[in-house]
Structures are given as structure tokens and as C-alpha cells.
Amino acid sequence: MRRPSVLVFAGADPSGGAGIAADILAIAALGAHALPVITALTVQDNDRVFEVLPVDADVVLRQARALAGKIAIGAVKIGIPGNRANADTIAAVICSLRRDNPDLPVVLDPVLASGAGDHLSSIDALAPLLPLASVLVPNLPEARVLGALAHDAVNLLVTGGHADGAMVVNRWQGEGGERAWRWPRLAGEFHGSGCTLAAAIAARLACGDAMESALTAAQAYCHRALESAYSIAAGQRIPQRCLSTSSQGSP
């Protein structure tokens, strides 16, 4: 049986906790296959990002063309583009894909900084991608920085992990209405939780789920991955993404 594929544009994290490494595992766990296009190399550990080294835009384009020329793309997931040139290239790839598939889902995780606050991207670099997103998945600080740009999204899921309280409240505004999901707040900090959620959403959209169903399944999976997170060193823990999708709740 052929699995649906998700074309992923994201950076490489040598700690294995975020970026492409997170995307591949989360997409596989949610029933799809990741086609990882590297947009940037990074120098980082499980807490801090020290350097972001963008891949040449032409290399990004050649990677995407080689994949899309043979493999049906069921969804696109975007993490850090690396720079504005790469964002322009990714936007052109999406526009080309949508000529054949106008309803192609695009999930954008607008990663502006690491959990420790280290710079990863900018609004300028994200600007060509924001209008193309089927769903935008910022955390609260990112949503505040993006402002009206975030609220113009067709579907907006703002995650509430940076707020206070015993429950994490994730709020969706979109074409299907509005909804809030509430999840018990977990102790500690996690490396790559946003990547995990966005990738899981893309996987379920590629598998044919409606938006609300995809958001629900992805959040349930992400919460379970964080509940089972493990340590590789002091600091942020790594979500356990190698989970079956059975027994997922739907708060």
C-alpha cells in the first residue's frame, strides 16, 4: 500500500531533537512519509542554537524538484526557511504544485526563535510563505510578533504552552469555526515540540483528514510524545515520537 508523502522544508538539528529529525519521526507515526528538504544546517544542542547556516536556494530547489518530479505530494510542512531567498524558492515550489493540486495543504510552523530565545528566522524571511499557508501554527510569543499577519491566516492554531495555568489551551480560528483544546500542563521543557505538532498536522492532512480532525489527532499525538519525553543531557527533554497512534484522546 502506498503511503501519502509530506514534502518537508526545515533545518537540520544535530541534537536530533527538532527540525527535520523531529518531522520525519512525527510524520511516520501519524501514517505518512516525510520527504525532507534541508533548508539550513544548524549548530545547536538540546537547549541552544549557536549558528544557522542556510543551504543555497538553488540546492533547495533541486531537492524539491527531484522529489516532486516523481512522488505525489500530499501536503507540505515548512519549518525554518533559512533566509528570504529560500523562502522565495519554497513559495515558488508550492505555487507550482498547486497548479496541479489547488487544495494542497501547507502547514507553516513560523519558528522565530528557539525555546531559549535564540534567533532562527524573521518575519521578512517568512513573508512569502504566510499567504500560502493552509494552517499557521505559532506559539503565543510568535503569534504576538506576527500580529495581524497571523490572524489573516485561513486557519490559525495558537499553542498555549507559554501561558500560565494547570492546562495548556490551544486555540483554533479557521474556516470551520473556532475551537479550544485543553491539555494538562506537563513539567519541564521540551526540544522540538512545535516541529512535532506541525509535522503531525501535515501528516494527517496528507492522509485526507479534515482540518479539525487533523488538528485533534496531531495534538493528541504530540501530548503523548511530550508525556513520554526522555533526557539526553541536562536541559530540554526530547519528545518520544516513536509512538503508535492508538488510544489517542480528544479533549
Side-chain angles (χ1 to χ4, degrees):
M1 182 177 176
R2 184 171 294 176
R3 275 197 169 203
S5 294
V6 178
L7 185 61
V8 181
F9 296 94
D13 170 11
S15 80
I20 285 287
D23 296 335
I24 292 171
L25 293 175
I27 288 168
L30 270 293
H33 176 75
L35 304 173
V37 174
I38 306 295
T39 58
L41 304 179
T42 67
V43 178
Q44 65 177 298
D45 57 26
N46 63 310
D47 278 325
R48 298 294 308 275
V49 178
F50 305 101
E51 292 182 72
V52 176
L53 308 166
V55 172
D56 186 80
D58 185 61
V59 176
V60 172
L61 179 61
R62 298 204 310 269
Q63 291 180 81
R65 278 182 173 170
L67 295 167
K70 183 174 183 182
I71 304 166
I73 307 301
V76 176
K77 186 267 179 180
I78 308 170
I80 63 167
N83 57 22
R84 177 60 182 261
N86 283 352
D88 287 335
T89 295
I90 295 166
V93 169
I94 292 169
C95 289
S96 177
L97 291 171
R98 280 183 168 164
R99 282 197 284 271
D100 294 325
N101 181 8
D103 298 323
L104 177 70
V106 174
V107 181
L108 176 57
D109 177 13
V111 187
L112 297 174
S114 70
D118 300 310
H119 176 80
L120 282 168
S121 191
S122 66
I123 293 178
D124 178 68
L126 294 173
L129 303 170
L130 290 166
L132 300 175
S134 307
V135 56
L136 187 65
V137 193
N139 58 34
L140 279 169
E142 289 163 347
R144 293 189 188 107
V145 172
L146 291 169
L149 293 173
H151 290 280
D152 288 342
V154 176
N155 288 282
L156 174 67
L157 178 68
V158 179
T159 59
H162 289 76
D164 297 321
M167 303 295 286
V168 172
V169 183
N170 299 334
R171 301 184 186 278
W172 170 50
Q173 298 176 357
E175 52 197 353
E178 297 184 3
R179 180 175 172 183
W181 289 264
R182 291 171 171 81
W183 303 94
R185 186 174 297 279
L186 301 172
E189 295 184 338
F190 306 94
H191 189 50
S193 56
C195 308
T196 304
L197 177 59
I201 294 168
R204 291 315 310 162
L205 291 173
C207 289
D209 287 9
M211 183 61 68
E212 186 172 357
S213 296
L215 297 179
T216 300
Q219 288 176 76
Y221 163 77
C222 189
H223 187 75
R224 291 181 61 223
L226 298 183
E227 280 184 318
S228 305
Y230 56 89
S231 296
I232 58 171
Q236 295 179 357
R237 287 180 288 157
I238 308 298
Q240 174 53 272
R241 301 178 180 97
C242 298
L243 299 168
S244 72
T245 56
S246 61
S247 304
Q248 291 180 358
S250 302

